[in-house]
Amino acid sequence: MAYMGMDAKEKPADMMSSNLETNMETIIYVTIPFGYSIAQDIFWKLYNQGYILKDSIDQLHCTACDRFLADRFVEGTCPLCTYEDARGDQCDKCGKLINAVDLGNPKCKLCKATPVIKSTQHLFLDLPKIEPQLQKHLDKVFKSGTWTNNAKVITSSWIRDGLKPRCISRDLKWGTQVPLPGYTDKVFYVWFDAPIGYISITANYTEHWEQWWKNPDKVDMYNFLGKDNVPFHSVIFPCTMLGANDNYTVVKHMIATGNYT
Ligand SMILES: [Zn+2]
Ligand SMILES: [Zn+2]
């Protein structure tokens, strides 16, 4: 796949990462017409098979702006080092990841008002429930495929640390709309949506896209990518595909650049 060399920033501990962080490549994927139908179709398959969980999480909400403040839209005092201009996702001084609701003296970056904590419902991909299928797939392809050592190490360490349900929805105005009633004012998180864009862009190119993407026995999918993106392509995207249970092609070879430190 020529599209795997993404450089969208991802901060695994940060539930509220903004879609605005994504690169132009990803924006193109999610705005083509097919992007909507395939992402939503995969969501429904996951949902109908019990792989989507609902849970509430606390988020900062600006009453004046009438919006939830994704990490980049709020600033305040770092709870770890007391730096006063920390962002909602990360402190520039100590470099630690922050949960926005833990900021001291938080301020909306758009209007400078003080946001309040509100509980909001979100959707989660039940990675622990899909993990046995993922492990079975990895056991096979680690032996039969070509995997760089760093790709194997990063993947194995994610699984060893324990997979947790992963939030796949965001309170943002643009992106692929979540089709589930009660959640239609939300969009899919970019790391759920963007890899499905690989499929959508193939489908945009040819009506025979299923010969590649729903042909797991005959297609050998190779991923070439930076090591930062390994878990999204070796754990999360494969779980999305396996959980959909729709005969999708899942990665068999992974060549990651960069040194594992
Ligand atoms: Zn700090
Ligand atoms: Zn505001």
Side-chain angles (χ1 to χ4, degrees), residues 44-251:
W44 281 123
K45 295 221 158 68
L46 290 164
Y47 183 81
N48 290 332
Q49 285 169 99
Y51 291 126
I52 300 292
L53 302 170
K54 298 170 182 173
D55 203 357
S56 64
I57 50 179
D58 289 340
Q59 268 187 288
L60 292 175
H61 184 270
C62 178
T63 313
C65 295
D66 189 27
R67 64 186 292 170
F68 286 101
L69 301 177
D71 39 29
R72 298 287 162 139
F73 294 102
V74 59
E75 55 195 2
T77 305
C78 173
L80 303 164
C81 77
T82 71
Y83 177 61
E84 288 185 0
D85 287 322
R87 300 188 313 253
D89 58 344
Q90 191 168 25
C91 172
D92 281 336
K93 191 163 182 210
C94 69
K96 297 272 170 48
L97 298 178
I98 296 171
N99 191 347
V101 294
D102 296 332
L103 283 173
N105 194 23
K107 292 266 181 283
C108 170
K109 216 161 178 171
L110 302 169
C111 75
K112 303 295 172 198
T114 301
V116 294
I117 295 178
K118 257 192 175 179
S119 189
T120 171
Q121 282 282 321
H122 274 280
L123 299 171
F124 294 75
L125 181 60
D126 193 348
L127 294 178
K129 199 169 172 186
I130 307 171
E131 184 181 336
Q133 289 183 68
L134 175 71
Q135 192 62 62
K136 198 173 149 207
H137 176 77
L138 290 174
D139 286 346
K140 198 168 70 184
V141 297
F142 272 10
K143 282 196 195 101
S144 63
T146 303
W147 288 65
T148 53
N149 192 50
N150 56 0
K152 277 188 185 174
V153 169
I154 293 167
T155 303
S156 301
S157 73
W158 260 58
I159 294 171
R160 190 194 56 225
D161 293 347
L163 298 180
K164 295 174 191 68
R166 193 165 177 88
C167 189
I168 58 162
S169 54
R170 288 292 183 273
D171 289 300
L172 290 168
K173 299 289 179 211
W174 56 271
T176 303
Q177 187 188 29
V178 174
L180 185 67
Y183 297 81
T184 52
D185 57 341
K186 299 175 196 298
V187 300
F188 288 122
Y189 177 41
V190 64
W191 271 112
F192 176 77
D193 203 17
I196 295 172
Y198 304 143
I199 304 170
S200 310
I201 212 159
T202 314
N204 211 37
Y205 171 69
T206 171
E207 63 185 287
H208 304 299
W209 62 276
E210 292 189 349
Q211 288 182 17
W212 282 272
W213 284 105
K214 291 193 181 180
N215 200 354
D217 294 332
K218 290 197 178 149
V219 172
D220 259 22
M221 177 160 51
Y222 285 75
N223 286 180
F224 298 88
L225 69 187
K227 70 180 169 72
D228 293 355
N229 288 325
V230 164
F232 305 100
H233 294 84
S234 67
V235 177
I236 296 172
F237 187 40
C239 280
T240 304
M241 300 285 85
L242 292 165
N245 196 20
D246 198 20
N247 199 36
Y248 273 106
T249 304
V250 181
V251 63

